[in-house]
């Protein structure tokens, strides 16, 4: 059994709840423990994961959040930099599944977040599990 931390940027409660449901369901179905940490926004997710990963308390992570395009350039910065930060940690060997949705509108987010539809939270958890297995095989 491994311990996973879901790090969520809680901005859209109903969307995050769906993503977390999918992620938690996939991890618990695989027999693992799950905790949740909430941060202010998607840009804070990589930093939080990096800080907690150093503690060695968790075997893997799932990044959860929703970034919906608005009227300004801010969407591109948040979407790109949060993904870059997660990818950098993954390249350093941290097992992270990226479930940060970057969408044009709320309807796209609902379809992707809902465990009965896109289940991107569950997919992110399965990605983290796959990376943890890969790390165990080649560490």
């Amino acid at each position: 059994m491994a311990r996973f931390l879901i790090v969520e940027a809680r901005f859209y409660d109903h969307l995050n709840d769906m993503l977390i449901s999918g992620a938690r369901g996939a991890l618990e179905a695989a027999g693992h423990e799950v905790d949740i940490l909430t941060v202010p926004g998607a840009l804070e997710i990589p930093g939080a994961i990096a800080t907690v990963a150093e503690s060695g308390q968790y075997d893997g992570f799932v990044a959860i959040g929703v970034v919906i395009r608005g009227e300004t350039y801010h969407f591109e910065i948040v979407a790109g930099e949060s993904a870059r930060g997660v990818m950098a940690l993954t390249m350093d060997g941290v097992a992270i599944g990226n479930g940060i949705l970057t969408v044009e509108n709320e309807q796209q987010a609902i379809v992707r977040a809902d465990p009965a539809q896109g289940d991107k939270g569950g997919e992110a958890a399965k990605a983290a599990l796959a990376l943890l297995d890969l790390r165990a095989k080649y560490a």
Side-chain angles (χ1 to χ4, degrees):
M1 175 177 63
R3 287 187 73 200
F4 281 85
L5 182 65
I6 295 173
V7 179
E8 66 149 344
R10 181 157 286 270
F11 194 79
Y12 300 99
D13 291 342
H14 63 297
L15 299 171
N16 274 36
D17 288 345
M18 287 189 279
L19 289 164
I20 289 170
S21 176
R24 181 187 293 274
L27 294 169
E28 289 178 349
H32 302 295
E33 286 184 32
V34 180
D35 292 324
I36 297 173
L37 173 67
T38 301
V39 297
L43 289 174
E44 288 74 40
I45 290 173
I49 291 173
T51 299
V52 176
E54 287 180 12
S55 76
Q57 294 179 39
Y58 293 92
D59 302 295
F61 301 86
V62 181
I64 295 290
V66 179
V67 183
I68 298 176
R69 184 179 299 278
E71 297 177 7
T72 67
Y73 185 71
H74 187 66
F75 171 86
E76 282 81 6
I77 293 168
V78 174
E81 292 302 311
S82 62
R84 185 191 61 75
V86 169
M87 181 57 67
L89 291 167
T90 301
M91 296 297 290
D92 286 341
V94 181
I96 306 171
N98 189 347
I100 302 172
L101 302 182
T102 53
V103 296
E104 296 292 327
N105 54 56
E106 185 176 356
Q107 187 56 40
Q108 287 180 351
I110 290 169
V111 170
R112 287 162 178 76
D114 185 352
Q117 295 183 62
D119 195 21
K120 295 301 181 186
E123 287 182 13
K126 290 173 185 172
L129 288 167
L131 289 173
L132 185 61
D133 288 345
L134 187 66
R135 186 172 69 194
K137 183 175 181 179
Y138 292 102

